[in-house]
Amino acid sequence: MRTLPAAQAIRQAAATAGRLCGRWAQAPRALDVLAALSAFALMSLDIPGLAEAEDNGLNGPLAALALVGGASSLLLRRRWPWLTYAVSLLFLGWLHELTLAQFALYSLGRYRGRAAGALGVIGYVSFAYVMFNLPGWPVHRGDTLSSFLSLVVPIGVLAAGVGVAANRQDLVRALEAQRAETQTLHAVQQERTRIARDVHDFVGRELTLLSVRSQVLARRAEGSPFEDGFEELSETARSAHRMLNEIIVQRGTDGAPTPGLDALPELAERSGRVGSPVDLTVDGAAHRLSPLRQAAVHRVVQECLTNAAKHAPGERVTVRVALRGPRLEITVRNPLPTKAPSAAPVSSGTGTTGMAERIRAVGGTFTAGRRGDVYEVRATLSPGELA
C-alpha cells in the first residue's frame, strides 16, 4: 500500500472538508442553525449586564437560557417569520435586546417581501420608542432621543433592506430556473416534433410500399382464395397511413427527414473546415440500421460536433459508431480546452437535452459529461431489425 506524502494528504483532506462544508452551507436548515448560533453569540455578550440588572430577575445561567430560547426562534424564520419577529419584540421590551430584532427584520424582508419588511420596521421603531419613554431604558441603548433614533432606526431599516434585497435575488433566481426549465421543455418538444416528422416520413413510406405491393399481389391473385386477403391487407396499410397522418399533425417546415449515416462524412468534413478536425469511424454493418435509428445517430453526432466547435474550438473530435454485440454504441470525445475562450460561446444549453430525447425515443440510453481531461458523449441503442 502506497503512503501519500503528508502535504498531499492534508490537501486532499482540506478539499474534502471544503466540499462537505459547501454542501452543508447550501442546506436551508443548516443556514437557519448558523443564523441562530450567530444571534446567540452576539447576544451572549450582554449576559453579564443582564445578570447584573435587577429589573429582569435573571442570573447568569437563566439569562443564557433565555437568550438560547430567543435565538432558537430563528429556526422557524422561513415558515413563521412573524413568530420570530414577535419574540424579538418581547426581548426588546423585556431585556432591551436589539440583536434578535435585526435577524427578525431581515427574515421578514427575505421571506415575506418588501411590504412585510416595511411593516416590521414601523412596528419595531414604534415599539422601541414606547419602551424608550418608559422607565428602565438602558443608557447604552440611547440616553437622548437623537442617540436613540440614530441607533434603533438604522438597525431596523438596514436589516429589513438587506432582507428585501435578498428576497429580490431569490425571485430572480427562481425566474431564471423557471426560464431554464421552460427552455429545456421547449427543446424536448422540438425534438419530439422532429422525431414525429421522421416517424411520419419513414414509416409512412413503408406503409405506402406495403399498400402498393398488396395491390399488386391482389391483382396477381385474382380468382384465387387469397385475393380478398391481399385487398384487405392493402386497405389496412392505407388505413394505418391515414391514422399516422392524423396523429402526427405538427411537422417540420422543410418536410425533409433527418439524414442518416451516409451524411456523417459530410458533417465531419464541414467540422474540419471550421477548425475542428474529426476522426470518424463507422462500422459497415451500422448502415443496415433502420432509417429512424440512423436519424438518431446523425442527430447525436451533429449536435456533438456543434458543441465541440463552440466549447473546444480547434480540438480534434473522435467519433465512433460501432455495433458491439446486441447494442449499437455512439461515442464522441474531444479534449477539453486548456484555457477559457476569450468570449463565452453562444449556447441555449438545450442541445444535450435534445440528443437525450432523440436517443430515448428509440429505446436507448444516453450519458454526457467530463471524463478526466476529455468531454465524452456516449449513447447506446438496440440496432433493431437490420436491413
Side-chain angles (χ1 to χ4, degrees):
M1 180 177 179
R2 186 170 60 92
T3 303
L4 293 175
Q8 185 176 356
I10 293 174
R11 284 196 299 269
Q12 289 184 353
T16 302
R19 288 193 297 269
L20 292 176
C21 290
R23 294 175 184 173
W24 184 82
Q26 292 176 357
R29 179 56 62 187
L31 293 176
D32 292 342
V33 171
L34 182 61
L37 292 175
S38 301
F40 175 73
L42 293 173
M43 291 189 295
S44 64
L45 300 176
D46 291 336
I47 290 180
L50 295 176
E52 293 176 0
E54 298 178 356
D55 58 344
N56 56 36
L58 297 176
N59 54 28
L62 289 178
L65 185 61
L67 296 182
V68 167
S72 298
S73 67
L74 290 171
L75 300 176
L76 307 175
R77 63 185 186 138
R78 295 176 187 270
R79 182 174 297 181
W80 297 302
W82 286 108
L83 175 61
T84 304
Y85 177 74
V87 173
S88 72
L89 294 185
L90 173 63
F91 270 56
L92 179 61
W94 178 29
L95 305 176
H96 306 111
E97 179 59 60
L98 301 178
T99 302
L100 186 59
Q102 300 176 50
F103 286 85
L105 289 171
Y106 169 84
S107 300
L108 273 180
R110 176 72 182 273
Y111 303 114
R112 289 298 181 269
R114 182 174 58 182
L119 184 60
V121 170
I122 293 173
Y124 157 74
V125 173
S126 301
F127 184 77
Y129 180 72
V130 171
M131 297 306 302
F132 171 76
N133 288 284
L134 294 177
W137 182 263
V139 175
H140 68 279
R141 299 299 192 195
D143 56 344
T144 65
L145 180 60
S146 60
S147 61
F148 165 79
L149 293 177
S150 65
L151 174 67
V152 172
V153 175
I155 285 177
V157 173
L158 181 61
V162 173
V164 171
N167 177 264
R168 294 297 179 87
Q169 291 180 353
D170 290 342
L171 292 176
V172 170
R173 283 193 290 267
L175 288 175
E176 290 176 348
Q178 185 177 9
R179 185 182 299 114
E181 182 180 0
T182 301
Q183 290 177 346
T184 300
L185 292 176
H186 180 64
V188 170
Q189 185 59 42
Q190 283 186 321
E191 190 60 37
R192 287 177 178 175
T193 299
R194 286 191 287 266
I195 294 171
R197 183 195 67 198
D198 292 343
V199 169
H200 180 279
D201 293 335
F202 294 133
V203 179
R205 180 186 64 187
E206 298 301 324
L207 289 174
T208 300
L209 292 177
L210 176 61
S211 177
V212 173
R213 183 61 176 167
S214 300
Q215 289 176 348
V216 171
L217 293 175
R219 293 192 187 95
R220 291 180 178 177
E222 285 186 12
S224 72
F226 303 106
E227 179 180 1
D228 293 340
F230 286 126
E231 288 289 353
E232 183 179 353
L233 179 60
S234 177
E235 180 58 31
T236 300
R238 286 194 297 270
S239 177
H241 200 180
R242 286 194 298 269
M243 291 175 62
L244 189 65
N245 287 333
E246 292 173 1
I247 293 173
I248 304 177
V249 177
Q250 188 177 7
R251 301 191 57 194
T253 55
D254 56 0
T258 303
L261 298 183
D262 292 337
L264 292 185
E266 181 183 353
L267 281 181
E269 181 183 357
R270 192 184 311 160
S271 177
R273 287 200 300 266
V274 299
S276 296
V278 179
D279 291 334
L280 175 64
T281 304
V282 182
D283 277 0
H287 289 274
R288 298 165 55 200
L289 292 171
S290 67
L292 275 178
R293 283 169 170 75
Q294 290 197 37
V297 176
H298 183 279
R299 168 79 171 121
V300 169
V301 174
Q302 181 184 42
E303 187 64 35
C304 287
L305 295 182
T306 301
N307 289 342
K310 286 181 181 179
H311 302 286
E315 301 291 347
R316 181 171 293 275
V317 185
T318 302
V319 180
R320 298 285 184 269
V321 181
L323 281 170
R324 302 192 183 281
R327 306 292 289 176
L328 175 76
E329 290 187 1
I330 307 105
T331 306
V332 183
R333 309 176 81 218
N334 63 267
L336 294 170
T338 56
K339 60 180 181 179
S342 56
V346 178
S347 175
S348 63
T350 57
T352 303
T353 303
M355 288 190 285
E357 181 67 21
R358 171 71 70 157
I359 291 297
R360 289 165 186 157
V362 291
T365 61
F366 179 88
T367 58
R370 179 171 183 163
R371 292 181 181 272
D373 58 351
V374 301
Y375 189 86
E376 181 181 272
V377 174
R378 183 182 295 271
T380 62
L381 62 155
S382 62
E385 185 177 350
L386 297 177

